[in-house]
Amino acid sequence: MNLDKSTKRIAKKVKNGFQGYPQITLAYFGESENCATQVVVSFILEAGAVAQEEKFSSVGDVRKDETIQTTLVKVIERAEAKTVIEVAGVAIIK
């Protein structure tokens, strides 16, 4: 799957808003606001459940990494996530 298709599929799920559980949250981290070198995927099966997390890293921007974006789509599909939340912006890590 190409990068453009992956990002559009993720954006479409995010745009739907809260649809129930399971829920996946995507949070981007990096050394600057312009380059996210890490994405943390949090999975919550049901209300009140503890979140399970998985991290993906890249030397470049993970938002422009075709392999990582395709993997995120696969994670969302396999988890049968009804809700996908994307944290706005890039959190700075030092």
Side-chain angles (χ1 to χ4, degrees), residues 14-66:
V14 169
K15 193 168 101 172
N16 287 337
F18 185 77
Q19 300 292 316
Y21 292 93
Q23 172 182 309
I24 287 184
T25 303
L26 306 173
Y28 294 96
F29 298 88
E31 295 180 8
S32 72
E33 292 182 14
N34 300 325
C35 184
T37 56
Q38 189 178 87
V39 60
V40 176
V41 180
S42 300
F43 173 77
I44 301 174
L45 182 60
E46 57 189 24
V50 176
Q52 300 172 2
E53 292 187 349
E54 187 168 357
K55 296 178 185 179
F56 298 96
S57 299
S58 176
V59 174
D61 196 332
V62 294
R63 298 170 297 181
K64 295 179 177 136
D65 187 312
E66 184 175 337

Side-chain angles (χ1 to χ4, degrees), residues 49 52 71 87:
Q52 300 172 2
T71 301
V87 178

